[in-house]
Amino acid sequence: MTHTLTCWLLTWPLLIINPSHGFSSQSSNDIKIVGLPGGNIESLPGMYVQTFRRWIVQDNDNTDDDDHLTSTGMTTENYSLQTIEPIAGAGLHNFPYDEGWVDPTTTKELWWPKDIPTLQTRPTLNVLFKGGILSYVSMGLDVRVPHPVDDGCPGGDDVVVTSWRNYGLNSQPIARQWTTLTIAMEKMFHVEGFLLRGGGGGFDNGAEEGGREVLFPSLNVESVLGKVANFIAQMDPLSPLAEGFHIVSFPMRKVWVDLPSLEEEGGGDGSYKIVCLATSEPFASKLLDLDEGLLEMSSTSVLEVDVVRTEEGGKSPYLTEPYKRLYLKSS
């Protein structure tokens, strides 16, 4: 209890009351699991899921410089052509590297502090491991702050980029609806991402005519499932993934996309919702018009978050050490 309270205090600037969305909470809604035999639907408590450790897998061959650099100082594990890196702070209750990091996992809102000029994203396929065995598959979204850091060489002009995934609370979304490996292996299974503007409400209300934008195009999952299979085949029995629950993200693109600014010209509200779908339905955009019950019947994995502007992280008197390099530009 004391540890949880301390984490809340240390992240004061990232926890605010937003007039459009009400009071933002750290807790997530339950995770639904669809696509089970007989059309059954199961659920996992959101607070329980937030104790799962999270990892990101990178390709070692032809990896972009800014993809494999990390500001966390954590160790990585090398699986031949793939490197797995822990997401700092995720699974806070049992994560050994929580020295000042807060839990970034969210299913409802993606927070964007005012002193962070740019957020970038790309789609991932997330898989849940239970005791080293792949259990479920879900839509994922890899979010980062592209943070330039001087290389430190006297007179040098070179700048490298470190990827900040955990930049505070609610900075790494996961899907609120997961599906099975059987569904993910269907020939038509693919992922699509959208920005919904002007809805301000439920899943279908955000999809008003003219309020949709493509975040990323339709992507087939066949190649990334091959990477998942290779990853499993080369997993060391002594790997930390061999015990407990873990969410592992496999990026589906090397290209990062800048999220649109939340400020419109004239000071208007440029708020929007991100909806990403992993589905076997041929036209994912049509699913935006379905109600919740029909969406569950489609065995679709759904990631849905509102992008919310929050106070400046650098102004917090409780800013912890890991975040000072990002918000205060100090080492």
Side-chain angles (χ1 to χ4, degrees), residues 11-16 18 102 109-120 143-146 164-172 259-263 272 306-316 319 323 326-329:
T11 55
W12 166 79
L14 305 183
L15 183 62
I16 67 167
N18 184 280
V102 298
E109 294 181 335
L110 178 65
W111 289 359
W112 190 339
K114 292 179 179 178
D115 49 352
I116 290 181
T118 305
L119 283 182
Q120 295 181 327
V143 179
R144 74 172 184 180
V145 179
W164 284 81
R165 289 188 168 89
N166 183 345
Y167 56 84
L169 293 173
N170 291 355
S171 58
Q172 285 297 313
L259 288 177
S261 171
L262 289 169
E263 283 78 31
Y272 54 87
D306 291 303
V307 182
V308 179
R309 207 57 153 155
T310 59
E311 295 301 326
E312 297 180 13
K315 290 186 177 180
S316 170
L319 198 66
Y323 298 100
L326 173 63
Y327 289 105
L328 303 181
K329 308 299 186 291

Side-chain angles (χ1 to χ4, degrees), residues 215-290:
L215 178 61
F216 57 84
S218 175
L219 299 169
N220 191 279
V221 303
E222 184 176 357
S223 61
V224 74
L225 284 177
K227 294 179 180 180
V228 174
N230 181 64
F231 177 84
I232 295 173
Q234 300 188 57
M235 187 184 299
D236 192 319
L238 299 179
S239 166
L241 275 69
E243 296 184 2
F245 289 88
H246 303 264
I247 298 174
V248 182
S249 298
F250 291 80
M252 300 190 68
R253 302 180 76 191
K254 287 186 178 295
V255 177
W256 293 84
V257 176
D258 288 358
L259 288 177
S261 171
L262 289 169
E263 283 78 31
E264 294 183 339
E265 292 185 12
D269 180 13
S271 62
Y272 54 87
K273 182 193 298 286
I274 296 175
V275 177
C276 301
L277 306 170
T279 183
S280 294
E281 299 295 323
F283 301 103
S285 61
K286 300 296 184 183
L287 298 177
L288 298 175
D289 301 317
L290 298 183

